[in-house]
Amino acid sequence: MKGLNDLLLLGHPLLYQVSDPVLESELPLVKNWAADLHNVMQEIRAKYNFGRAIAAPQLGIMKRLIYMNIDTPVVFINPDLTNLSHEMFEVWDDCMCFPDLLVRVQRHQALTIKFRDENWKEQEWNLENDLSELLQHEYDHLNGILCTMRAIDDKSFKWRN
């Protein structure tokens, strides 16, 4: 079982790589990957008091997989973001890979996420506001993009209080 010490930190080269799609033949591995992601997210919550979702590359699992647990666990396999709204909003973003740093970014107000669930069934959800922002952040991880790379300007960084 992976733990907090397995979390890749800002500057680790794997965080800047594009992840590979999960293959249907790898579906039996998803349960263990999700358990690892869940465990690390729980440790982050206990230590830093934040964490609603985590992307597999943050643990060095270079697969297009996102684990979210707000009210109930959800696994997003091979997600794709579409219908990105023209309306944008600004938010102070945080990341488990640099838990004490906040970064001011712009995100789309709303979007549609298409993905496969743990049973390999296609799903499509329309999200807006904080969930839209959250999934954009995690989706960026799948493409080797960190919120530090989306900072609005060079003054868009601050330490968490």
Side-chain angles (χ1 to χ4, degrees):
M1 175 76 53
K2 290 191 183 247
L4 195 53
N5 290 337
D6 296 299
L7 185 67
L8 304 184
L9 299 177
L10 182 64
H12 193 289
L14 287 178
L15 291 174
Y16 305 98
Q17 292 183 14
V18 176
S19 298
D20 296 321
V22 176
L23 305 174
E24 189 172 4
S25 62
E26 295 173 311
L27 200 53
L29 301 172
V30 168
K31 186 174 183 177
N32 288 335
W33 292 337
D36 285 340
L37 294 165
H38 173 81
N39 190 58
V40 171
M41 192 166 72
Q42 291 304 105
E43 290 185 32
I44 285 284
R45 285 177 175 176
K47 185 170 182 176
Y48 296 101
N49 296 311
F50 79 94
R52 300 174 293 157
I54 184 170
Q58 292 176 266
L59 295 184
I61 303 165
M62 301 311 293
K63 290 293 180 176
R64 299 187 76 75
L65 180 82
I66 296 169
Y67 175 81
M68 180 176 77
N69 192 340
I70 297 174
D71 298 320
T72 183
V74 180
V75 176
F76 299 88
I77 300 171
N78 299 333
D80 189 31
L81 303 184
T82 62
N83 301 324
L84 300 169
S85 68
H86 293 292
E87 299 81 21
M88 306 288 283
F89 69 108
E90 290 184 10
V91 63
W92 282 103
D93 205 355
D94 55 20
C95 183
M96 295 176 193
C97 296
F98 37 93
D100 292 320
L101 182 66
L102 298 172
V103 182
R104 190 111 178 126
V105 299
Q106 279 197 333
R107 297 288 189 191
H108 296 276
Q109 188 79 36
L111 57 80
T112 300
I113 184 168
K114 297 177 182 182
F115 64 98
R116 291 194 179 270
D117 65 17
E118 291 173 281
N119 300 310
W120 205 251
K121 291 193 173 131
E122 291 183 6
Q123 303 284 335
E124 183 174 316
W125 293 3
N126 295 313
L127 303 173
E128 53 187 33
N129 302 321
D130 62 328
L131 288 179
S132 172
E133 182 276 323
L134 176 63
L135 270 296
Q136 288 171 74
H137 175 103
E138 301 306 337
Y139 185 81
D140 274 352
H141 275 296
L142 305 182
N143 294 317
I145 299 168
L146 303 179
C147 62
T148 53
M149 300 156 76
R150 294 206 182 272
I152 292 172
D153 59 27
D154 60 358
K155 295 178 182 68
S156 294
F157 301 88
K158 70 177 182 178
W159 296 114
R160 186 183 298 278
N161 294 335

